[in-house]
Amino acid sequence: MSSIRSLSAYSVLSSNGMPTVEVKITLQSGITAHAAAPKGQSCGKFEKTEHRDQDGLRVSEALRMCEFTVAPAFIGRDSADHLDLDKTLMSLAHDGKPLPSNVTLPVSIALAIAHSKEIGQDLSHYIGGISQHATIPIPCINMINGGIHGNNQSLLQEYLILPHGASSFSEAISWAVTICHNLKLNLKKKGLLAGVGDEGGFVLATDSVTAPFDILLESIHTSGLSDAHVSLGIDCAASGYYHKHMYVDYPGLPGEKQSAEVSTFLKNLAQTYPITYIEDPFSEEDLNAWASFDVEAHIIGDDLFATNAKRLNNVSHQAANGIMIKPNQVGTLSDTMQTIMQARLLGYNTVFAHRSADTEDTWISELAIGFQADMIKFGNIIRGERTAKYNALLRFFRIKNL
Protein backbone atom coordinates (compact mmCIF):
# COMPACT_ATOMS: atom_id res chain seq x y z
CA MET A 1 0.00 0.00 0.00
CA SER A 2 0.99 3.61 -0.44
CA SER A 3 2.18 5.94 2.30
CA ILE A 4 1.01 9.51 2.88
CA ARG A 5 3.13 12.01 0.98
CA SER A 6 1.43 15.22 2.09
CA LEU A 7 -1.50 16.57 4.10
CA SER A 8 -2.68 20.11 3.60
CA ALA A 9 -5.73 22.14 4.59
CA TYR A 10 -7.42 25.27 3.29
CA SER A 11 -10.60 27.25 3.79
CA VAL A 12 -13.79 26.73 1.75
CA LEU A 13 -17.30 28.09 2.21
CA SER A 14 -20.20 26.25 3.80
CA SER A 15 -23.86 26.78 2.92
CA ASN A 16 -24.29 29.62 5.42
CA GLY A 17 -21.51 31.60 3.76
CA MET A 18 -19.03 31.00 6.57
CA PRO A 19 -15.57 29.43 6.22
CA THR A 20 -14.94 25.81 7.01
CA VAL A 21 -11.99 23.44 6.67
CA GLU A 22 -11.21 21.22 3.69
CA VAL A 23 -8.33 18.74 3.91
CA LYS A 24 -6.35 17.31 1.00
CA ILE A 25 -4.28 14.14 1.31
CA THR A 26 -1.80 12.98 -1.33
CA LEU A 27 -0.31 9.49 -1.33
CA GLN A 28 3.09 8.47 -2.64
CA SER A 29 1.32 6.83 -5.59
CA GLY A 30 -0.01 10.24 -6.65
CA ILE A 31 -3.58 9.51 -5.49
CA THR A 32 -5.26 12.59 -4.00
CA ALA A 33 -8.44 13.01 -1.96
CA HIS A 34 -10.17 15.82 -0.15
CA ALA A 35 -13.01 16.20 2.36
CA ALA A 36 -14.73 19.20 3.93
CA ALA A 37 -16.03 19.64 7.46
CA PRO A 38 -19.73 20.46 7.97
CA LYS A 39 -21.03 22.31 11.04
CA GLY A 40 -24.33 22.18 12.89
CA GLN A 41 -26.17 25.15 14.34
CA SER A 42 -28.26 23.02 16.67
CA CYS A 43 -25.66 21.23 18.81
CA GLY A 44 -26.37 18.95 21.73
CA LYS A 45 -24.64 18.98 25.12
CA PHE A 46 -23.10 15.55 24.56
CA GLU A 47 -21.51 16.20 21.19
CA LYS A 48 -17.97 15.06 21.77
CA THR A 49 -16.09 17.52 19.59
CA GLU A 50 -18.43 19.95 17.88
CA HIS A 51 -18.35 22.43 20.74
CA ARG A 52 -14.60 22.70 20.45
CA ASP A 53 -14.74 24.67 17.20
CA GLN A 54 -17.12 27.26 18.61
CA ASP A 55 -18.99 29.33 15.99
CA GLY A 56 -16.76 28.05 13.17
CA LEU A 57 -14.83 31.31 12.94
CA ARG A 58 -11.47 29.92 14.10
CA VAL A 59 -10.78 28.26 10.78
CA SER A 60 -7.33 29.81 10.48
CA GLU A 61 -6.36 28.17 13.77
CA ALA A 62 -7.76 24.83 12.55
CA LEU A 63 -5.65 25.14 9.40
CA ARG A 64 -2.55 25.64 11.53
CA MET A 65 -3.43 22.52 13.53
CA CYS A 66 -3.59 20.53 10.30
CA GLU A 67 -0.24 21.86 9.12
CA PHE A 68 1.77 21.80 12.32
CA THR A 69 0.11 19.08 14.43
CA VAL A 70 -1.59 16.55 12.15
CA ALA A 71 0.65 16.57 9.07
CA PRO A 72 3.90 15.74 10.94
CA ALA A 73 2.13 12.81 12.65
CA PHE A 74 0.71 11.46 9.38
CA ILE A 75 3.33 11.95 6.67
CA GLY A 76 5.08 8.67 5.88
CA ARG A 77 2.38 6.54 7.54
CA ASP A 78 0.66 3.76 5.55
CA SER A 79 -2.74 4.89 4.27
CA ALA A 80 -4.15 1.42 5.03
CA ASP A 81 -3.68 1.96 8.78
CA HIS A 82 -6.94 3.88 9.10
CA LEU A 83 -7.87 2.74 12.59
CA ASP A 84 -4.44 3.56 14.00
CA LEU A 85 -4.37 6.90 12.21
CA ASP A 86 -7.79 7.79 13.64
CA LYS A 87 -6.52 6.88 17.10
CA THR A 88 -3.56 9.16 16.49
CA LEU A 89 -5.93 11.96 15.49
CA MET A 90 -7.90 11.65 18.70
CA SER A 91 -4.73 11.54 20.81
CA LEU A 92 -3.20 14.70 19.34
CA ALA A 93 -3.53 17.97 21.19
CA HIS A 94 -3.16 21.68 20.47
CA ASP A 95 -2.40 24.00 23.39
CA GLY A 96 -3.20 21.10 25.69
CA LYS A 97 -6.67 20.51 24.23
CA PRO A 98 -7.95 17.73 21.93
CA LEU A 99 -8.25 18.66 18.28
CA PRO A 100 -11.70 19.95 17.21
CA SER A 101 -13.96 18.03 14.87
CA ASN A 102 -13.41 20.48 12.01
CA VAL A 103 -9.82 19.16 12.00
CA THR A 104 -10.20 15.47 12.83
CA LEU A 105 -13.23 14.65 10.65
CA PRO A 106 -12.04 15.99 7.27
CA VAL A 107 -8.65 14.36 7.86
CA SER A 108 -10.27 11.02 8.69
CA ILE A 109 -12.67 11.12 5.72
CA ALA A 110 -10.03 12.30 3.24
CA LEU A 111 -7.79 9.45 4.38
CA ALA A 112 -10.57 6.91 3.76
CA ILE A 113 -11.27 8.33 0.31
CA ALA A 114 -7.57 8.30 -0.60
CA HIS A 115 -7.13 4.70 0.49
CA SER A 116 -10.29 3.54 -1.29
CA LYS A 117 -8.98 5.14 -4.49
CA GLU A 118 -5.62 3.46 -3.93
CA ILE A 119 -7.25 0.03 -3.94
CA GLY A 120 -9.53 0.85 -6.88
CA GLN A 121 -12.82 1.29 -5.02
CA ASP A 122 -15.18 4.13 -4.29
CA LEU A 123 -15.73 5.09 -0.65
CA SER A 124 -19.07 3.29 -0.31
CA HIS A 125 -17.56 -0.04 -1.45
CA TYR A 126 -14.51 0.43 0.76
CA ILE A 127 -16.76 1.03 3.77
CA GLY A 128 -19.26 -1.74 3.25
CA GLY A 129 -18.36 -4.03 0.38
CA ILE A 130 -21.64 -3.11 -1.32
CA SER A 131 -23.52 -5.90 -3.11
CA GLN A 132 -26.47 -5.85 -5.46
CA HIS A 133 -28.68 -6.04 -2.35
CA ALA A 134 -27.80 -2.67 -0.90
CA THR A 135 -30.47 -1.22 1.37
CA ILE A 136 -32.54 1.59 -0.12
CA PRO A 137 -32.79 4.23 2.62
CA ILE A 138 -36.02 6.14 3.22
CA PRO A 139 -35.40 9.85 2.62
CA CYS A 140 -36.60 12.14 5.42
CA ILE A 141 -36.97 15.40 3.52
CA ASN A 142 -37.16 18.70 5.39
CA MET A 143 -39.87 20.64 3.55
CA ILE A 144 -40.55 23.36 6.14
CA ASN A 145 -38.01 25.01 8.46
CA GLY A 146 -38.94 26.45 11.83
CA GLY A 147 -37.07 27.21 15.04
CA ILE A 148 -33.52 28.47 14.61
CA HIS A 149 -33.33 27.06 11.06
CA GLY A 150 -36.32 29.11 9.91
CA ASN A 151 -36.12 32.04 12.33
CA ASN A 152 -39.61 31.22 13.61
CA GLN A 153 -39.71 30.03 17.21
CA SER A 154 -43.46 29.35 16.99
CA LEU A 155 -42.82 26.33 14.76
CA LEU A 156 -40.99 23.07 15.32
CA GLN A 157 -37.49 23.02 13.87
CA GLU A 158 -38.29 20.71 10.96
CA TYR A 159 -41.40 19.41 9.23
CA LEU A 160 -40.50 16.46 7.02
CA ILE A 161 -42.04 14.15 4.48
CA LEU A 162 -41.15 10.45 4.29
CA PRO A 163 -42.00 8.89 0.90
CA HIS A 164 -41.91 5.42 2.45
CA GLY A 165 -44.29 3.88 -0.10
CA ALA A 166 -41.99 4.46 -3.08
CA SER A 167 -40.71 1.38 -4.89
CA SER A 168 -37.27 2.89 -5.58
CA PHE A 169 -35.08 5.75 -4.41
CA SER A 170 -35.62 7.60 -7.67
CA GLU A 171 -39.40 7.31 -7.28
CA ALA A 172 -39.15 8.65 -3.73
CA ILE A 173 -37.23 11.69 -4.94
CA SER A 174 -39.62 12.15 -7.87
CA TRP A 175 -42.53 12.28 -5.42
CA ALA A 176 -40.62 14.77 -3.28
CA VAL A 177 -40.01 17.01 -6.29
CA THR A 178 -43.73 17.09 -7.09
CA ILE A 179 -44.72 17.70 -3.48
CA CYS A 180 -42.14 20.47 -3.10
CA HIS A 181 -43.43 22.20 -6.25
CA ASN A 182 -47.04 22.01 -5.08
CA LEU A 183 -46.09 23.10 -1.58
CA LYS A 184 -44.44 26.25 -2.91
CA LEU A 185 -47.51 27.04 -5.05
CA ASN A 186 -49.86 26.46 -2.11
CA LEU A 187 -47.78 28.63 0.21
CA LYS A 188 -47.80 31.46 -2.32
CA LYS A 189 -51.56 31.23 -2.80
CA LYS A 190 -52.12 31.40 0.94
CA GLY A 191 -49.64 34.24 1.44
CA LEU A 192 -47.55 32.10 3.81
CA LEU A 193 -44.26 31.86 1.92
CA ALA A 194 -41.57 33.80 3.79
CA GLY A 195 -38.36 32.51 2.24
CA VAL A 196 -36.07 29.50 2.49
CA GLY A 197 -34.39 28.28 5.67
CA ASP A 198 -30.91 27.01 6.46
CA GLU A 199 -31.64 23.50 5.19
CA GLY A 200 -33.61 24.43 2.08
CA GLY A 201 -37.03 24.06 3.68
CA PHE A 202 -39.58 26.79 3.19
CA VAL A 203 -40.04 29.39 5.93
CA LEU A 204 -43.67 30.15 6.80
CA ALA A 205 -45.26 33.38 7.91
CA THR A 206 -47.44 31.76 10.58
CA ASP A 207 -47.37 31.15 14.32
CA SER A 208 -49.58 28.06 14.11
CA VAL A 209 -47.56 24.95 14.99
CA THR A 210 -50.03 22.74 13.08
CA ALA A 211 -50.35 24.86 9.91
CA PRO A 212 -47.30 23.16 8.32
CA PHE A 213 -48.90 19.73 8.76
CA ASP A 214 -52.12 20.86 7.11
CA ILE A 215 -50.45 22.44 4.11
CA LEU A 216 -48.02 19.53 3.70
CA LEU A 217 -50.93 17.08 3.60
CA GLU A 218 -52.72 19.30 1.11
CA SER A 219 -49.62 19.37 -1.09
CA ILE A 220 -49.19 15.59 -0.84
CA HIS A 221 -52.80 15.02 -1.89
CA THR A 222 -52.54 17.61 -4.67
CA SER A 223 -49.62 15.55 -5.95
CA GLY A 224 -51.89 12.51 -6.32
CA LEU A 225 -50.42 10.75 -3.30
CA SER A 226 -51.94 9.57 -0.02
CA ASP A 227 -50.84 8.91 3.54
CA ALA A 228 -50.12 5.34 2.47
CA HIS A 229 -47.45 6.70 0.13
CA VAL A 230 -46.01 9.60 2.11
CA SER A 231 -46.04 10.16 5.88
CA LEU A 232 -44.92 13.12 7.96
CA GLY A 233 -42.07 13.66 10.39
CA ILE A 234 -40.84 16.29 12.82
CA ASP A 235 -37.58 17.33 14.45
CA CYS A 236 -38.54 18.95 17.74
CA ALA A 237 -35.00 19.96 18.82
CA ALA A 238 -36.39 19.89 22.36
CA SER A 239 -33.10 20.46 24.18
CA GLY A 240 -33.23 24.12 23.23
CA TYR A 241 -36.41 24.60 25.28
CA TYR A 242 -35.34 22.72 28.40
CA HIS A 243 -34.42 24.85 31.42
CA LYS A 244 -34.34 23.76 35.07
CA HIS A 245 -36.35 20.59 34.38
CA MET A 246 -39.10 22.48 32.54
CA TYR A 247 -39.83 23.17 28.86
CA VAL A 248 -40.12 26.88 28.17
CA ASP A 249 -42.09 28.05 25.11
CA TYR A 250 -41.96 24.65 23.42
CA PRO A 251 -43.60 25.23 19.99
CA GLY A 252 -47.36 24.88 20.46
CA LEU A 253 -46.99 25.01 24.26
CA PRO A 254 -46.34 28.60 25.41
CA GLY A 255 -45.00 29.19 28.90
CA GLU A 256 -43.47 26.61 31.22
CA LYS A 257 -44.56 23.00 30.72
CA GLN A 258 -43.68 19.71 32.36
CA SER A 259 -42.45 16.68 30.41
CA ALA A 260 -45.84 14.96 30.68
CA GLU A 261 -47.53 17.93 28.99
CA VAL A 262 -45.04 17.82 26.12
CA SER A 263 -45.60 14.09 25.78
CA THR A 264 -49.37 14.49 25.64
CA PHE A 265 -49.05 17.27 23.07
CA LEU A 266 -46.87 15.13 20.79
CA LYS A 267 -49.12 12.09 21.18
CA ASN A 268 -52.09 14.19 20.13
CA LEU A 269 -50.20 15.40 17.07
CA ALA A 270 -49.35 11.81 16.12
CA GLN A 271 -53.01 10.81 16.49
CA THR A 272 -54.22 13.75 14.39
CA TYR A 273 -51.65 13.59 11.60
CA PRO A 274 -49.85 10.69 9.84
CA ILE A 275 -46.60 11.27 11.73
CA THR A 276 -44.22 8.31 11.57
CA TYR A 277 -40.95 10.05 12.52
CA ILE A 278 -40.27 12.08 15.67
CA GLU A 279 -36.74 13.33 16.35
CA ASP A 280 -35.56 14.70 19.69
CA PRO A 281 -39.03 15.08 21.26
CA PHE A 282 -37.39 15.68 24.66
CA SER A 283 -34.14 17.09 25.99
CA GLU A 284 -31.08 14.85 26.02
CA GLU A 285 -31.14 15.23 29.84
CA ASP A 286 -34.83 14.36 30.30
CA LEU A 287 -34.35 10.59 30.29
CA ASN A 288 -37.55 9.79 32.19
CA ALA A 289 -39.62 11.48 29.49
CA TRP A 290 -37.88 9.44 26.80
CA ALA A 291 -38.50 6.23 28.74
CA SER A 292 -42.24 6.84 29.13
CA PHE A 293 -42.89 7.99 25.54
CA ASP A 294 -44.81 5.22 23.74
CA VAL A 295 -45.89 6.70 20.40
CA GLU A 296 -45.80 4.19 17.55
CA ALA A 297 -43.27 5.84 15.24
CA HIS A 298 -39.59 6.12 14.47
CA ILE A 299 -38.37 7.86 17.63
CA ILE A 300 -34.93 9.19 16.75
CA GLY A 301 -32.29 10.35 19.18
CA ASP A 302 -29.91 13.04 17.94
CA ASP A 303 -28.87 15.19 20.90
CA LEU A 304 -29.74 12.19 23.09
CA PHE A 305 -26.92 10.06 21.64
CA ALA A 306 -24.64 12.51 19.78
CA THR A 307 -23.36 9.64 17.56
CA ASN A 308 -21.47 8.34 20.59
CA ALA A 309 -21.29 4.58 21.13
CA LYS A 310 -20.78 4.83 24.90
CA ARG A 311 -23.64 7.26 25.26
CA LEU A 312 -25.85 5.01 23.13
CA ASN A 313 -25.02 1.98 25.25
CA ASN A 314 -25.65 3.84 28.50
CA VAL A 315 -29.11 5.18 27.61
CA SER A 316 -30.31 2.64 25.03
CA HIS A 317 -33.00 1.42 27.44
CA GLN A 318 -34.86 4.65 26.72
CA ALA A 319 -37.79 4.83 24.31
CA ALA A 320 -35.85 5.82 21.19
CA ASN A 321 -35.63 3.18 18.48
CA GLY A 322 -33.34 5.03 16.10
CA ILE A 323 -30.17 7.10 16.16
CA MET A 324 -29.01 10.05 14.10
CA ILE A 325 -25.56 9.55 12.57
CA LYS A 326 -23.57 12.78 12.30
CA PRO A 327 -19.84 11.98 12.08
CA ASN A 328 -18.66 15.42 13.18
CA GLN A 329 -20.29 14.80 16.57
CA VAL A 330 -17.59 12.24 17.36
CA GLY A 331 -14.79 13.38 15.08
CA THR A 332 -13.56 10.38 13.06
CA LEU A 333 -14.82 7.70 10.71
CA SER A 334 -13.67 4.97 13.12
CA ASP A 335 -15.70 6.39 16.01
CA THR A 336 -18.70 6.74 13.72
CA MET A 337 -18.34 3.11 12.67
CA GLN A 338 -18.23 2.00 16.30
CA THR A 339 -21.50 3.80 17.00
CA ILE A 340 -23.19 2.27 13.96
CA MET A 341 -22.09 -1.21 15.01
CA GLN A 342 -23.47 -0.63 18.49
CA ALA A 343 -26.76 0.64 17.03
CA ARG A 344 -27.07 -2.50 14.90
CA LEU A 345 -26.51 -4.72 17.94
CA LEU A 346 -29.30 -2.89 19.76
CA GLY A 347 -31.67 -3.12 16.80
CA TYR A 348 -31.76 0.66 16.27
CA ASN A 349 -32.48 2.25 12.91
CA THR A 350 -29.74 4.56 11.64
CA VAL A 351 -30.49 7.95 10.09
CA PHE A 352 -27.49 9.47 8.27
CA ALA A 353 -27.66 13.24 8.28
CA HIS A 354 -26.06 16.39 6.96
CA ARG A 355 -25.52 19.45 9.14
CA SER A 356 -27.27 22.77 8.70
CA ALA A 357 -24.05 24.45 7.53
CA ASP A 358 -22.78 21.96 4.96
CA THR A 359 -20.85 21.94 1.69
CA GLU A 360 -21.42 20.30 -1.69
CA ASP A 361 -19.22 17.41 -0.53
CA THR A 362 -21.00 14.04 -0.82
CA TRP A 363 -19.06 11.78 1.52
CA ILE A 364 -22.04 11.48 3.89
CA SER A 365 -24.05 9.95 1.01
CA GLU A 366 -21.30 7.43 0.38
CA LEU A 367 -21.15 6.54 4.06
CA ALA A 368 -24.94 6.08 4.07
CA ILE A 369 -24.62 3.61 1.19
CA GLY A 370 -21.63 1.80 2.64
CA PHE A 371 -23.11 1.46 6.12
CA GLN A 372 -26.56 0.43 4.81
CA ALA A 373 -28.45 3.39 6.28
CA ASP A 374 -32.11 2.83 7.11
CA MET A 375 -32.92 6.50 6.46
CA ILE A 376 -31.15 9.61 5.22
CA LYS A 377 -31.82 13.25 6.12
CA PHE A 378 -30.13 15.79 3.87
CA GLY A 379 -32.52 18.75 3.95
CA ASN A 380 -34.89 19.81 1.18
CA ILE A 381 -34.38 18.91 -2.46
CA ILE A 382 -33.35 22.46 -3.34
CA ARG A 383 -29.97 24.23 -2.83
CA GLY A 384 -26.82 22.72 -4.28
CA GLU A 385 -25.27 21.49 -1.03
CA ARG A 386 -28.43 19.37 -0.48
CA THR A 387 -29.08 18.18 -4.04
CA ALA A 388 -25.45 17.05 -4.41
CA LYS A 389 -26.06 14.45 -1.71
CA TYR A 390 -29.35 13.25 -3.18
CA ASN A 391 -27.77 13.08 -6.64
CA ALA A 392 -24.97 10.86 -5.32
CA LEU A 393 -27.59 8.38 -4.11
CA LEU A 394 -29.60 8.65 -7.32
CA ARG A 395 -26.49 7.80 -9.35
CA PHE A 396 -25.60 4.86 -7.15
CA PHE A 397 -29.03 3.23 -7.16
CA ARG A 398 -29.42 3.84 -10.87
CA ILE A 399 -26.16 2.01 -11.53
CA LYS A 400 -27.20 -0.82 -9.21
CA ASN A 401 -30.63 -1.07 -10.90
CA LEU A 402 -32.35 -1.04 -7.53
Side-chain angles (χ1 to χ4, degrees), residues 236-386:
C236 305
S239 296
Y241 306 103
Y242 195 63
H243 303 284
K244 297 181 179 180
H245 306 290
M246 297 289 286
Y247 290 92
V248 181
D249 293 334
Y250 196 105
L253 295 172
E256 292 189 351
K257 295 293 185 289
Q258 295 181 349
S259 302
E261 294 173 282
V262 173
S263 180
T264 298
F265 169 71
L266 294 173
K267 288 179 182 179
N268 289 337
L269 284 182
Q271 290 171 356
T272 305
Y273 298 99
I275 296 172
T276 62
Y277 176 105
I278 302 176
E279 181 183 333
D280 279 356
F282 307 103
S283 165
E284 69 262 66
E285 297 180 284
D286 193 6
L287 299 184
N288 289 333
W290 281 93
S292 61
F293 194 54
D294 59 357
V295 172
E296 188 174 343
H298 296 290
I299 310 300
I300 308 300
D302 180 10
D303 293 345
L304 179 66
F305 301 125
T307 319
N308 187 296
K310 291 182 180 179
R311 174 79 180 164
L312 173 61
N313 191 55
N314 289 340
V315 299
S316 61
H317 60 284
Q318 307 304 328
N321 51 38
I323 179 173
M324 191 67 63
I325 301 298
K326 296 177 176 177
N328 74 325
Q329 290 181 329
V330 284
T332 69
L333 180 57
S334 298
D335 286 315
T336 302
M337 185 185 307
Q338 183 180 2
T339 301
I340 295 165
M341 292 172 64
Q342 181 67 22
R344 299 294 189 207
L345 288 173
L346 294 170
Y348 274 49
N349 287 322
T350 55
V351 186
F352 282 64
H354 63 171
R355 299 309 301 256
S356 56
D358 217 309
T359 71
E360 67 277 15
D361 213 330
T362 62
W363 55 258
I364 189 65
S365 298
E366 296 171 73
L367 295 188
I369 295 167
F371 284 119
Q372 304 280 288
D374 298 291
M375 304 177 193
I376 52 102
K377 185 166 169 260
F378 297 155
N380 201 0
I381 52 165
I382 56 178
R383 294 177 48 143
E385 75 280 0
R386 315 297 163 185

Side-chain angles (χ1 to χ4, degrees), residues 46-200:
F46 296 103
E47 293 196 16
K48 186 174 181 180
T49 56
E50 176 72 14
H51 67 281
R52 298 178 191 161
D53 54 325
Q54 295 177 5
D55 71 26
L57 295 176
R58 297 181 179 177
V59 169
S60 59
E61 184 177 355
L63 299 181
R64 288 194 294 272
M65 292 180 200
C66 289
E67 180 180 358
F68 296 110
T69 303
V70 179
F74 269 51
I75 292 173
R77 300 274 295 273
D78 192 331
S79 66
D81 295 335
H82 203 152
L83 290 176
D84 286 340
L85 287 165
D86 276 354
K87 288 179 181 178
T88 297
L89 268 176
M90 299 307 283
S91 69
L92 294 174
H94 177 76
D95 290 340
K97 297 178 181 179
L99 301 183
S101 62
N102 64 345
V103 171
T104 61
L105 183 64
V107 170
S108 182
I109 297 295
L111 174 65
I113 295 171
H115 181 63
S116 63
K117 286 183 177 181
E118 177 73 13
I119 61 176
Q121 296 182 341
D122 57 34
L123 181 60
S124 59
H125 284 79
Y126 171 58
I127 292 298
I130 301 302
S131 70
Q132 288 291 332
H133 304 288
T135 301
I136 302 176
I138 297 173
C140 308
I141 301 174
N142 181 358
M143 288 285 174
I144 294 174
N145 285 180
I148 62 173
H149 289 167
N151 196 28
N152 187 340
Q153 297 300 322
S154 298
L155 303 184
L156 296 166
Q157 183 161 286
E158 297 177 11
Y159 295 78
L160 308 113
I161 62 167
L162 283 74
H164 61 269
S167 61
S168 66
F169 189 80
S170 61
E171 183 176 50
I173 298 302
S174 178
W175 288 358
V177 169
T178 304
I179 294 167
C180 185
H181 175 74
N182 286 324
L183 174 60
K184 186 175 182 179
L185 290 178
N186 288 335
L187 289 173
K188 284 184 175 180
K189 288 177 183 177
K190 298 174 187 296
L192 294 176
L193 185 60
V196 175
D198 291 338
E199 299 184 349

